[in-house]
Amino acid sequence: MSRPRIVVVGAGFGGLHTLRHLERRIPAGAADIALVAPHDYMLYSPLLPQVASGLLTPQSVAMSVHRLTRQTRFVPGHAVGVDPGDRVVVVRRPTGELAPVRYDRLVLAPGGVTRAFDIPGLAEHAYGAKTLAEAVLLRDHVLAQLELANDSRDPAEREERCRFVVVGGGYTGVETAASLMRLCQEAAKRYPDLRSVIRWHLVDIAPKVLPELGDRLGRKALDLLRSIGVEVKLKVSVREVTDDKVVLTDGRALPCRTLIWTAGVSPSPLMATLDKPTQKGRLEVGADLRVPGLDDVFAVGDAAAVPNLSHEDSDYCPPTAQYATRQAATVADNVVSSVLGRPMKEFRHRDMGLVVDLSGNDALARVMQLELSGLPALGVTRGYHLMAVPSATARARILANWGIRKATGGDTSRLGFADGGRPSSFVANESVDYLDAEGSRREGARLLENLHARYGVH
C-alpha cells in the first residue's frame, strides 16, 4: 500500500497543532504530510495588539513552521478550492498560477477573514488589525499621524490626524484601542502640544464590550478603557468613511484620518467550495470533526461548525484559538484512525475562560468561574500566553521584549512601513479569488489532467 497523503490547509492554531499531533502519531516516513498555507509561520494572533503598540517585535509572534515540524512538506499558496471527487485541493501559488495538491485525507483549518459590511468608504479607507503586516503598518501609521500633526499649524488637520476610531468591542478591538492609546501617550511626551488633542474612540453596535467576560468584568473593562482616555460609544456603528472623517449612525461626524476595523471575523470562503451545508459560512462537521458525506475530509477551527457536546452556551463550539488548539488533537487521532480503520473519537471541551491584556498593568481574566482584574489578572494573562505559544524561541523573545519594556520604557520611532502613500485597506490585503463548487471541480479535473499529461502521474 502506498503512503497515505495527508494535507492540512492553514497554519493557524488548528492547522499547526494538527500537524504536530500527526507527526507524533505517525512514524517517520509512513505518510506524506503536507501543509498548504500562504506563509510558512503560525501567527500567534492574540498578541497582535502588542505588536501594533511596539511592545513586542513581529518575530515574537510569528513561529516558523519549519522549526516546529519535522516531516511536513510546505506548499506555499492559498487554497482556493476543493474537489472532493478527485481528492484535489486547488492552490493559488504566490506566482498566481493554480496548482493541484492531491490528498487521501484532508484537514481544513483555513481560519477566517475580517468581516466587512457595505459601508460607503470602508473598503477604501479602513485599516485592519488581523495580520502581522497590518499590525506593523498600523503602528507606523499612528506614529506618522502624530508627527504630521505636530508639524502642522492647521487646527483642523491636527484634529483629523490626532483622532483615531476603532470599530468593534470584542477582544481585538478593546486590546487594540488600549494598546495604541498607551503608544500615543508615550509618543505625546515628545509632542506636548498634542496631549490635549489626541482622541481615541471605540464604537460598537452591541450594548456592551467583551460580552464573553460576563457583566461584572465587562463593566470593569469599560471603566478601564475610559480611565485611560478611550471614549467608548455603544449601540452605534459607522455610516460612512471618507479620507478625513468618520460618520456614525447616531449622526455624529468625527474629523478623523484613521479608522481601525475589528468588527469580527467571517469564515474562510474556501468552505463553500465543497458544496456542503454551512452555518453562517462555517462548514458543518460531526462530533468526530468529519464532513458528513465525505469520510476523508475533516475541518477544525474558525471555519468549522463543530457540535458543542458540553452544551455550555450554544449548539456549536465558539471559533476561538482555545477550541481550535484542542480540536487539533482530536482530528489528528481521527485522521490516523480513519486510515487504520479504527473507531473515531468525539470532540469534547469545556471552556476554560478568557484573558484580556489592556496594556500597562491593566488586565482582566475569567478562569473557569474565577474573575480577576489588576495585577493578578495580568499575571494569569501573560502566563497563559507564554504557555499557549508553541515555540520556546518565541517565548524567549516575548519574555525579553516584556523585560526590556519594563526596564527601559517604550520606543516610539517609526520603521518606515507607512511611507510612500496610503497602503491597501484590509479588504484589499485579505482579498483572494476563491472558486465556487463547480469551479473547484472543473479546475481540479483540469489540473490533474495536465499533471498526468506532463509527468504521467495519476
Coordinates of all heavy atoms in Angstrom, one line a residue, residues 78-83 88-92 98-99 268-275 432-447:
H78 N -2.5 30.0 -1.4 CA -3.8 30.0 -0.8 C -4.6 28.8 -1.4 O -4.6 28.6 -2.7 CB -4.6 31.3 -1.2 CG -4.1 32.4 -0.3 ND1 -3.1 33.3 -0.7 CD2 -4.6 32.9 0.9 CE1 -3.0 34.2 0.2 NE2 -3.8 34.0 1.2
A79 N -5.2 28.0 -0.6 CA -6.1 27.0 -1.1 C -7.4 27.7 -1.5 O -8.1 28.4 -0.6 CB -6.4 26.0 0.0
V80 N -7.8 27.7 -2.7 CA -8.9 28.4 -3.2 C -10.1 27.5 -3.7 O -11.1 28.0 -4.1 CB -8.5 29.3 -4.4 CG1 -7.5 30.4 -3.9 CG2 -7.9 28.5 -5.6
G81 N -9.9 26.2 -3.6 CA -11.0 25.3 -3.9 C -10.7 23.9 -3.5 O -9.5 23.5 -3.4
V82 N -11.7 23.1 -3.3 CA -11.5 21.7 -3.0 C -12.4 20.9 -4.0 O -13.6 21.2 -4.1 CB -11.9 21.4 -1.6 CG1 -11.8 19.9 -1.3 CG2 -11.0 22.2 -0.6
D83 N -11.8 19.9 -4.6 CA -12.6 18.9 -5.5 C -12.6 17.6 -4.8 O -11.7 16.8 -4.9 CB -11.9 18.8 -6.8 CG -12.5 17.8 -7.7 OD1 -13.7 17.3 -7.4 OD2 -11.9 17.4 -8.7
V88 N -8.7 16.6 -4.6 CA -7.7 17.6 -5.0 C -8.0 18.9 -4.3 O -9.1 19.3 -4.3 CB -7.7 17.8 -6.5 CG1 -6.8 19.0 -6.9 CG2 -7.2 16.6 -7.3
V89 N -7.0 19.5 -3.7 CA -7.0 20.9 -3.3 C -6.4 21.8 -4.3 O -5.3 21.5 -4.8 CB -6.3 21.1 -1.9 CG1 -6.3 22.6 -1.5 CG2 -6.8 20.2 -0.9
V90 N -7.2 22.8 -4.8 CA -6.7 23.7 -5.8 C -6.0 24.9 -5.1 O -6.6 25.6 -4.2 CB -7.8 24.3 -6.7 CG1 -7.3 25.2 -7.7 CG2 -8.6 23.1 -7.3
V91 N -4.7 25.1 -5.4 CA -3.9 26.1 -4.7 C -3.5 27.2 -5.6 O -3.0 26.9 -6.7 CB -2.6 25.4 -4.1 CG1 -1.7 26.4 -3.4 CG2 -3.0 24.3 -3.1
R92 N -3.7 28.4 -5.2 CA -3.2 29.5 -6.0 C -1.8 29.9 -5.4 O -1.7 30.4 -4.3 CB -4.1 30.7 -5.9 CG -3.8 31.8 -6.9 CD -4.8 33.0 -6.9 NE -6.1 32.6 -7.2 CZ -6.6 32.3 -8.4 NH1 -5.9 32.5 -9.4 NH2 -7.9 32.0 -8.5
L98 N -2.5 28.3 -10.8 CA -3.2 27.3 -10.0 C -2.4 26.0 -10.1 O -1.8 25.7 -11.1 CB -4.6 27.1 -10.5 CG -5.5 28.3 -10.4 CD1 -6.9 28.0 -11.0 CD2 -5.7 28.7 -8.9
A99 N -2.4 25.3 -8.9 CA -1.7 24.0 -8.9 C -2.5 23.0 -8.1 O -3.2 23.4 -7.1 CB -0.3 24.2 -8.2
S268 N -13.5 31.4 6.3 CA -12.9 31.4 5.0 C -13.9 31.0 3.9 O -14.6 30.0 4.1 CB -11.7 30.5 5.0 OG -11.2 30.3 3.7
P269 N -13.9 31.7 2.8 CA -14.8 31.3 1.7 C -14.4 30.0 1.1 O -15.2 29.4 0.3 CB -14.6 32.4 0.6 CG -14.1 33.6 1.4 CD -13.3 33.0 2.5
L270 N -13.3 29.4 1.5 CA -12.9 28.1 1.0 C -13.9 27.1 1.3 O -14.2 26.1 0.6 CB -11.5 27.7 1.6 CG -11.0 26.3 1.2 CD1 -10.7 26.2 -0.3 CD2 -9.8 25.9 2.1
M271 N -14.6 27.2 2.5 CA -15.5 26.2 2.9 C -16.7 26.0 2.0 O -17.3 24.9 1.9 CB -16.0 26.5 4.4 CG -14.9 26.6 5.4 SD -13.6 25.3 5.2 CE -13.5 24.7 6.9
A272 N -17.1 27.1 1.3 CA -18.2 27.0 0.4 C -17.9 26.2 -0.9 O -18.8 25.7 -1.6 CB -18.7 28.4 0.0
T273 N -16.6 25.9 -1.2 CA -16.3 25.2 -2.4 C -16.6 23.7 -2.3 O -16.5 23.1 -3.3 CB -14.8 25.4 -2.7 OG1 -14.0 24.8 -1.8 CG2 -14.4 26.9 -2.7
L274 N -16.9 23.2 -1.1 CA -17.2 21.8 -1.0 C -18.7 21.5 -1.3 O -19.1 20.3 -1.4 CB -16.8 21.3 0.4 CG -15.4 20.9 0.6 CD1 -14.6 22.2 1.0 CD2 -15.2 19.8 1.7
D275 N -19.5 22.6 -1.4 CA -20.9 22.4 -1.7 C -21.6 21.6 -0.6 O -22.4 20.7 -0.9 CB -21.1 21.9 -3.1 CG -22.5 22.2 -3.6 OD1 -23.1 23.1 -3.1 OD2 -23.0 21.5 -4.5
V432 N -8.7 37.4 -1.8 CA -8.2 36.2 -2.6 C -9.4 35.7 -3.5 O -10.5 35.7 -3.1 CB -7.9 35.0 -1.6 CG1 -7.4 33.8 -2.4 CG2 -6.7 35.5 -0.7
D433 N -9.1 35.3 -4.7 CA -10.1 34.9 -5.6 C -10.4 33.4 -5.4 O -9.6 32.5 -5.9 CB -9.6 35.1 -7.1 CG -9.6 36.6 -7.4 OD1 -10.4 37.4 -6.9 OD2 -8.7 37.0 -8.2
Y434 N -11.4 33.1 -4.7 CA -11.8 31.7 -4.4 C -12.7 31.2 -5.5 O -13.4 32.0 -6.2 CB -12.5 31.6 -3.1 CG -11.7 31.8 -1.9 CD1 -11.5 33.1 -1.3 CD2 -11.0 30.8 -1.3 CE1 -10.7 33.3 -0.2 CE2 -10.2 31.0 -0.2 CZ -10.0 32.2 0.3 OH -9.2 32.4 1.4
L435 N -12.7 29.9 -5.7 CA -13.6 29.3 -6.7 C -14.9 28.9 -6.1 O -14.9 28.7 -4.8 CB -12.9 28.0 -7.3 CG -11.5 28.2 -7.9 CD1 -10.9 26.8 -8.2 CD2 -11.6 29.1 -9.1
D436 N -15.9 28.7 -6.9 CA -17.1 28.1 -6.3 C -17.0 26.6 -6.4 O -16.0 26.0 -6.9 CB -18.4 28.7 -7.0 CG -18.3 28.4 -8.5 OD1 -17.5 27.6 -9.0 OD2 -19.1 29.1 -9.2
A437 N -18.1 25.9 -6.0 CA -18.0 24.4 -6.0 C -17.8 23.9 -7.4 O -17.0 23.0 -7.7 CB -19.3 23.9 -5.4
E438 N -18.6 24.4 -8.4 CA -18.4 23.9 -9.8 C -17.0 24.3 -10.3 O -16.4 23.4 -11.0 CB -19.5 24.6 -10.7 CG -19.4 24.2 -12.2 CD -19.5 22.7 -12.4 OE1 -20.2 22.0 -11.6 OE2 -18.8 22.2 -13.3
G439 N -16.5 25.5 -10.0 CA -15.2 25.9 -10.5 C -14.1 25.0 -9.9 O -13.1 24.7 -10.5
S440 N -14.3 24.6 -8.6 CA -13.3 23.7 -7.9 C -13.3 22.4 -8.6 O -12.2 21.8 -8.8 CB -13.7 23.6 -6.4 OG -13.7 24.8 -5.8
R441 N -14.4 21.8 -8.9 CA -14.4 20.5 -9.6 C -13.8 20.6 -11.0 O -13.0 19.7 -11.4 CB -15.9 20.0 -9.7 CG -16.5 19.5 -8.4 CD -17.8 18.8 -8.6 NE -18.8 19.7 -9.0 CZ -19.7 20.3 -8.2 NH1 -19.5 20.2 -6.9 NH2 -20.6 21.1 -8.7
R442 N -14.1 21.7 -11.7 CA -13.6 21.8 -13.1 C -12.1 22.0 -13.0 O -11.3 21.4 -13.8 CB -14.3 23.0 -13.7 CG -13.9 23.2 -15.2 CD -14.7 24.3 -15.8 NE -14.5 25.6 -15.2 CZ -15.5 26.2 -14.4 NH1 -16.6 25.6 -14.2 NH2 -15.2 27.4 -13.8
E443 N -11.6 22.9 -12.2 CA -10.2 23.2 -12.1 C -9.4 22.0 -11.6 O -8.3 21.7 -12.0 CB -9.9 24.4 -11.2 CG -10.3 25.8 -11.9 CD -9.4 26.1 -13.1 OE1 -8.3 25.5 -13.2 OE2 -9.9 26.8 -14.0
G444 N -10.0 21.3 -10.6 CA -9.3 20.1 -10.0 C -9.1 19.1 -11.1 O -8.0 18.5 -11.2
A445 N -10.1 18.8 -11.9 CA -10.0 17.8 -13.0 C -9.0 18.3 -14.1 O -8.2 17.5 -14.6 CB -11.4 17.6 -13.6
R446 N -9.0 19.6 -14.4 CA -8.1 20.1 -15.4 C -6.7 20.0 -15.0 O -5.8 19.6 -15.7 CB -8.5 21.5 -15.8 CG -7.6 22.2 -16.9 CD -7.9 23.6 -17.1 NE -7.5 24.4 -15.9 CZ -6.3 24.8 -15.7 NH1 -5.3 24.5 -16.6 NH2 -6.0 25.6 -14.7
L447 N -6.4 20.4 -13.7 CA -5.1 20.3 -13.2 C -4.5 18.9 -13.1 O -3.4 18.7 -13.4 CB -5.0 21.0 -11.8 CG -5.3 22.5 -11.8 CD1 -5.5 23.0 -10.4 CD2 -4.1 23.3 -12.5

